[in-house]
Amino acid sequence: MGWESWIIDTLKRALAYGTPLLWGTLGEIYAERAGVVNLGVEGMMILGALSAFAVAQSTGNPWLGILAASVVGGFAALIHAFFSVTLRANQYVSGLALTIFGLGLSGLLGTSWVGISLKNPLPKATIPGLERIPILGEALFRDHSYLTYIGIVLAVVLWFVLYKTRWGIAIRSVGESPSTADAMGIDVFAVQYLCVIFGGILAGVAGGFLSVEYRPAWTEGMTAGMGWIVIALTIFAAWDPLQAVGGVVLFGALYHLAYRLQAWFPPEFLKLMPYAFAILVLAVAGLRKVKRGAPASLGVPYVRGQR
Amino acid sequence: MAEKRTDAHPDSLASHQNVALLMRDITKVFPGVVANDKVTFELKVGEVHALLGENGAGKTTLMNILYGLYQADSGEIYLYGKRVRIRSPRDAIRHRIGMVHQHFKLVPRHTVAENVVLGLDGAPFLAPARAVEDEILQLGERYGLKVDPKAYIWQLSAGEQQRVEIIKALVRGADILILDEPTSVLTPQEVEELFKILARMREEGHSVIFITHKLDEVMEVSDRVTVMRRGKVVATLSTADVNKPTLAKMMVGREVVFRLKKVACERGQEALVVEDLWALSDRGLPALKGISFSVCRGEILGIAGVAGNGQKELVEVITGLRRATRGKVFVLGDEVTNENPRRIADKGVAHIPEERLKRGIVPEMSVAENLILKRHHRSPFCHGFFLNLRAVKRFAHHAIEEYAIMTPGPDTPAKLLSGGNIQRLILARELSGEPALVIAAHPTYGLDVGATEQIRQILLEQRRRGAAILLISEDLEELMSLADRIAVIFEGEIMGEVSPEAATLEEIGLMMAGEKRRVRR
């Protein structure tokens, strides 16, 4: 195998594996930019994966599956928003509970779907013109899921909204200093609710991608720790949607390489990779001092009248 | 939505054309306190109206009600004779009311323009920050509020940040501007500039409410003054008709001694020596750049400076809470550089920290437990593994009495105490072992006149006893009346040292703004 096909293969697999990570990370970036940590990504993803598979299998339309996943993800996030924003519960505990709840519930409800392979998975697409670029064209623009392309466009749009629009200033201000936003007439609770729910919708789609495209079947716990990688990538990307794309590709490539190494290492090694990478990413993020980039009021419930 | 009623208010007060605002019989009860008790407040068009009172008198509560941050339990608000309901800051802004809070409501990591445009009605969806840049510059010209719209807030001085706050209100068309303790973070020169800006605003027809507890400012800047005490209005007067002692008496409810009696003290052994001290801030930037000084027993060395110029880091390095990257610290002749805090405390160093609630006490723990925090591991409070609760209680009763800590009892959680009583508790703990060196960081910050007076007396008493005192303060009057020498710190360097008798406020103010004193030793 030549180096060209090696690069193409790595990039291709990195994008495919990275797509759910990208969707999840973009969602978590918005939630955290509004000051709410949601550790329930894993739970929202797995619920999204199950509902996407169930709906796609029953209706025969994978897009309806993705839609269902986004709705379910959004509702799951609504639970987190209610506990952490309205009831001001500890955000970390509430998010962890959501993950455990999601994993448990999906395992329970999914038993009858286990072992069926999806008859009608999500189609792939090739972008005419761009695919002709040597090497990169084939790696980036040929035979990828629609969700991969949409995800990358979404990253650009979300970056633009965050930094160049009124909404963006409001969202970032809520995450940095909710009391300031409140004093300037921004509805802090509404912004936090919307961002958390938006994050849940994206996490749901991420999960749906897994079950109707990446591995078109339902298996219990099929997110396999991706939700945690999302949390790590959010930090790695310094809460910036564009940096998230880079982080996701890098991560996907690393994962692919580890997959290749399977021939020489036991299979447990591969299962370990996401967590090892998450720790590695956080260590690198720590060295890059991206901590300074964290929204200043991240994880702190807002109470009017307190400083 | 703000509800507007067209019927004119029957009260003759508000029917006057020149009344901008009338708040009538405002009552607000918080659990356990009546913050505002039937307060009536009137503001005329084009006046600067001082709202004077001690901390906890209810000034800020009243203004927070006007700005929609709190809802009054009863009472009415009239703007230009019309009754209004203000349920949120958004309502207040719509009624052309602006507020500059004591702790600025700014997002430090955003630019000036981004902060100004946040929540602004009518700002474009795309590139909103760029849209207000011109307006910021224009307002700057008109009112003397010079600030770069593209600068980040964290890069600005406190005075500049305050200007951003005023601009924010003006961009929203504020006719009535509320300033909550606006001078507490400014250098004397910046205060002068603020007063000029207020004069400009008055000329342009704005009405200004100026919350303060400083009498000099009331006399200098206001047309009228309303004095509040314990949630009630004592009086509203024309500033021309009053003087400082009268106001002080109204504010405190008794006569106040303005001058502290300071006995001459013998300078003793050097208790603290700092040599070429360097340290980094939390952000990893140099916060102390080669600081050297010494403090002797029986003297008070004051450190003057605007907050954030290295005072916090200096205190932390001396008390062992932050690493020095270079230089040495000696206490009573022994080197203690980068020793652990307990070892340094055991050498006889008392620390009265800047952030009372965060570093001075454990809020959830009882008064008695807080009182022994520093010595709980030693006799008589502890025998081996167990605490001697009887000794703890005895000590607590003694301390509560000696320092006049107002608390229901030694078992009350410390967080329920008022600011002044928390500070008394900290002093009781820190001074109980007769320390050789007292590090006092902003010891009277935010305290009312009575508590301030008492704490200053306690510090002078410690000096008389022979303690060396390092007093960090932003309050120049405090430094002038307490310190034997004043060193001025700016961006981590000592700009110079003066004696309070010889120096003028202007001279110190210039040094606080970074001008180095010509060496004349």
Side-chain angles (χ1 to χ4, degrees):
Chain A
M1 193 161 63
W3 64 272
E4 286 174 0
S5 67
W6 191 81
I7 286 181
I8 289 168
D9 198 41
T10 303
L11 268 178
K12 246 187 144 67
R13 299 310 304 160
L15 269 187
Y17 179 77
T19 297
L21 294 178
L22 180 60
W23 282 78
T25 304
L26 291 175
E28 184 69 8
I29 285 175
Y30 261 59
E32 294 200 4
R33 278 292 189 158
V36 184
V37 174
N38 189 350
L39 295 187
V41 180
E42 180 85 357
M44 300 187 295
M45 277 179 73
I46 195 83
L47 286 171
L50 176 64
S51 40
F53 181 82
V55 171
Q57 184 70 1
S58 317
T59 63
N61 185 338
W63 289 109
L64 281 181
I66 293 295
L67 184 68
S70 67
V71 172
V72 168
F75 268 105
L78 179 64
I79 300 174
H80 179 63
F82 178 70
F83 277 98
S84 58
V85 179
T86 303
L87 301 184
R88 301 187 191 106
N90 184 310
Q91 296 179 3
Y92 298 91
V93 174
S94 167
L96 280 175
L98 180 58
T99 284
I100 295 164
F101 169 75
L103 288 169
L105 185 70
S106 63
L108 181 71
L109 299 178
T111 42
S112 57
W113 302 99
V114 173
I116 308 166
S117 73
L118 188 67
K119 48 190 184 217
N120 206 359
L122 219 54
K124 293 192 193 292
T126 294
I127 299 181
L130 291 179
E131 60 148 338
R132 294 186 192 284
I133 303 170
I135 302 180
L136 281 184
E138 196 178 341
L140 303 180
F141 301 111
R142 189 177 294 171
D143 287 337
H144 278 297
S145 168
Y146 280 101
L147 288 178
T148 307
Y149 302 124
I150 297 173
I152 290 167
V153 173
L154 190 65
V156 177
V157 171
L158 291 181
W159 175 86
F160 186 83
V161 168
L162 203 53
Y163 289 103
K164 304 285 172 193
T165 69
R166 278 180 73 151
W167 291 357
I169 291 180
I171 292 169
R172 286 186 288 135
S173 298
V174 167
E176 289 284 338
S177 171
S179 64
T180 299
D182 193 18
M184 299 323 293
I186 303 286
D187 190 337
V188 173
F189 286 1
V191 169
Q192 292 189 326
Y193 259 88
L194 287 175
C195 285
V196 171
I197 291 169
F198 179 72
I201 291 172
L202 265 53
V205 173
F209 174 86
L210 287 176
S211 67
V212 300
E213 150 76 57
Y214 192 71
R215 247 177 264 137
W218 165 252
T219 33
E220 193 178 334
M222 68 184 298
T223 45
M226 274 195 162
W228 302 112
I229 302 177
V230 162
I231 306 285
L233 277 172
T234 303
I235 298 167
F236 183 72
W239 295 268
D240 180 326
L242 284 187
Q243 287 192 46
V245 177
V248 158
V249 171
L250 180 73
F251 209 82
L254 278 174
Y255 189 80
H256 177 69
L257 293 179
Y259 186 78
R260 285 280 184 88
L261 294 177
Q262 255 195 128
W264 296 278
F265 292 96
E268 285 76 13
F269 180 73
L270 191 67
K271 282 191 195 155
L272 184 92
M273 288 320 292
Y275 305 102
F277 280 154
I279 291 168
L280 186 74
V281 157
L282 289 178
V284 172
L287 291 175
R288 284 174 65 197
K289 296 238 161 81
V290 294
K291 210 171 178 187
R292 271 183 272 163
S297 296
L298 186 61
V300 186
Y302 176 58
V303 188
R304 183 178 275 183
Q306 282 192 353
R307 288 197 280 276
Chain B
M1 278 303 290
E3 182 190 324
K4 283 186 184 174
R5 283 206 204 151
T6 43
D7 55 325
H9 170 55
D11 199 308
S12 61
L13 267 176
S15 58
H16 285 307
Q17 279 285 305
N18 64 346
V19 174
L21 164 76
L22 174 67
M23 298 178 82
R24 204 176 60 164
D25 293 338
I26 301 285
T27 297
K28 175 73 182 174
V29 182
F30 287 119
V33 254
V34 183
N36 283 165
D37 187 2
K38 287 191 168 273
V39 170
T40 295
F41 176 80
E42 184 207 69
L43 177 71
K44 287 183 184 161
V45 175
E47 75 167 342
V48 175
H49 194 134
L51 191 52
L52 176 72
E54 293 194 282
N55 284 56
K59 303 164 297 195
T60 303
T61 302
L62 184 69
M63 289 302 114
N64 280 341
I65 289 171
L66 177 59
Y67 196 60
L69 284 167
Y70 297 149
Q71 302 302 307
D73 297 327
S74 67
E76 294 138 21
I77 300 174
Y78 297 88
L79 284 172
Y80 304 100
K82 280 181 198 157
R83 175 141 187 221
V84 293
R85 288 258 167 80
I86 300 171
R87 292 198 180 81
S88 69
R90 191 166 266 273
D91 283 351
I93 292 164
R94 206 172 291 138
H95 287 299
R96 316 189 124 223
I97 298 169
M99 182 159 180
V100 176
H101 298 267
Q102 184 178 9
H103 301 272
F104 297 146
K105 304 274 185 187
L106 294 169
V107 182
R109 270 203 296 240
H110 291 182
T111 65
V112 170
E114 282 179 320
N115 270 283
V116 169
V117 85
L118 174 65
L120 182 66
D121 281 331
F125 182 73
L126 293 179
R130 209 175 303 152
V132 292
E133 282 173 6
D134 279 342
E135 198 175 350
I136 292 171
L137 292 173
Q138 277 164 21
L139 284 170
E141 281 295 307
R142 188 158 145 210
Y143 293 92
L145 296 154
K146 288 234 170 64
V147 64
D148 174 12
K150 285 183 178 138
Y152 285 93
I153 297 296
W154 59 264
Q155 298 171 321
L156 304 181
S157 70
E160 289 171 306
Q161 294 188 18
Q162 189 170 61
R163 279 178 237 158
V164 177
E165 285 281 29
I166 297 174
I167 288 173
K168 264 166 68 181
L170 291 176
V171 166
R172 283 158 178 79
D175 291 330
I176 296 171
L177 187 69
I178 308 160
L179 298 166
D180 191 357
E181 307 260 355
T183 58
S184 57
V185 292
L186 304 181
T187 65
Q189 281 81 1
E190 284 176 322
V191 170
E192 280 308 310
E193 252 174 75
L194 173 69
F195 287 174
K196 273 186 212 148
I197 291 164
L198 293 187
R200 283 289 302 146
M201 296 187 60
R202 174 163 47 189
E203 282 168 35
E204 298 266 345
H206 297 274
S207 317
V208 179
I209 303 170
F210 187 98
I211 304 179
T212 185
H213 60 241
K214 294 180 188 161
L215 299 167
D216 294 320
E217 294 173 359
V218 173
M219 300 310 291
E220 189 173 343
V221 79
S222 72
D223 301 306
R224 288 199 300 160
V225 50
T226 293
V227 186
M228 287 184 76
R229 186 170 76 231
R230 292 186 184 180
K232 288 185 177 154
V233 168
V234 181
T236 297
L237 305 150
S238 178
T239 311
D241 301 340
V242 288
N243 54 28
K244 270 171 66 174
T246 321
L247 285 178
K249 199 177 163 191
M250 284 182 180
M251 179 164 87
V252 183
R254 60 182 168 80
E255 300 281 354
V256 181
V257 191
F258 272 104
R259 291 237 65 90
L260 288 160
K261 252 199 263 159
K262 198 164 95 177
V263 272
C265 254
E266 203 81 354
R267 267 183 81 174
Q269 171 201 11
E270 280 185 332
L272 172 68
V273 178
V274 170
E275 278 178 16
D276 188 32
L277 202 59
W278 291 68
L280 300 178
S281 71
D282 291 342
R283 293 170 155 235
L285 304 171
L288 299 179
K289 304 170 195 164
I291 290 211
S292 303
F293 62 79
S294 68
V295 196
C296 296
R297 277 175 164 267
E299 80 164 345
I300 299 181
L301 173 66
I303 302 277
V306 177
N309 275 294
Q311 295 97 319
K312 181 170 151 255
E313 288 82 2
L314 177 63
V315 169
E316 288 176 355
V317 169
I318 295 172
T319 51
L321 295 167
R322 182 181 294 269
R323 279 194 67 79
T325 50
R326 215 169 100 190
K328 287 181 176 147
V329 180
F330 298 91
V331 171
L332 295 172
D334 299 330
E335 186 176 347
V336 297
T337 324
N338 296 334
E339 280 274 9
N340 84 44
R342 185 184 274 184
R343 291 277 296 280
I344 294 175
D346 287 350
K347 284 241 181 296
V349 178
H351 178 201
I352 298 152
E354 178 176 353
E355 291 180 273
R356 232 165 270 154
L357 279 166
K358 260 193 206 160
R359 294 213 158 152
I361 57 165
V362 183
E364 309 294 328
M365 277 168 42
S366 74
V367 169
E369 285 168 331
N370 271 291
L371 278 167
I372 60 150
L373 270 187
K374 220 174 171 179
R375 297 198 292 160
H376 69 278
H377 57 291
R378 286 203 258 142
S379 178
F381 304 122
C382 167
H383 295 300
F385 187 61
F386 296 99
L387 283 177
N388 179 353
L389 292 178
R390 204 174 303 156
V392 172
K393 198 144 271 182
R394 207 179 313 127
F395 175 73
H397 278 296
H398 180 73
I400 287 168
E401 200 173 318
E402 189 183 341
Y403 285 86
I405 304 169
M406 283 202 282
T407 168
D411 298 324
T412 308
K415 65 174 177 183
L416 296 182
L417 271 50
S418 73
N421 285 305
I422 287 175
Q423 194 69 316
R424 288 188 190 105
L425 189 168
I426 294 169
L427 285 166
R429 178 184 68 219
E430 295 295 325
L431 302 179
S432 65
E434 304 223 322
L437 172 65
V438 179
I439 316 266
H442 310 283
T444 62
Y445 181 82
L447 299 185
D448 62 38
V449 175
T452 298
E453 197 185 326
Q454 189 199 355
I455 279 158
R456 288 178 183 168
Q457 294 290 4
I458 292 172
L459 288 177
L460 285 178
E461 173 58 29
Q462 289 295 315
R463 169 177 171 272
R464 200 196 52 74
R465 180 181 63 76
I469 299 176
L470 182 67
L471 174 65
I472 287 105
S473 181
E474 285 171 42
D475 186 340
L476 285 183
E477 256 175 76
E478 173 165 287
L479 290 172
M480 294 291 241
S481 59
L482 291 183
D484 299 291
R485 292 180 291 138
I486 299 175
V488 183
I489 192 169
F490 175 75
E491 292 189 347
E493 288 181 73
I494 300 282
M495 290 289 115
E497 202 183 288
V498 295
S499 90
E501 287 82 23
T504 62
L505 275 178
E506 285 68 31
E507 197 178 351
I508 297 177
L510 282 175
M511 283 159 66
M512 280 165 76
E515 194 154 305
K516 244 196 181 131
R517 186 182 166 83
R518 275 149 303 210
V519 188
R520 53 158 213 241
R521 286 206 176 171

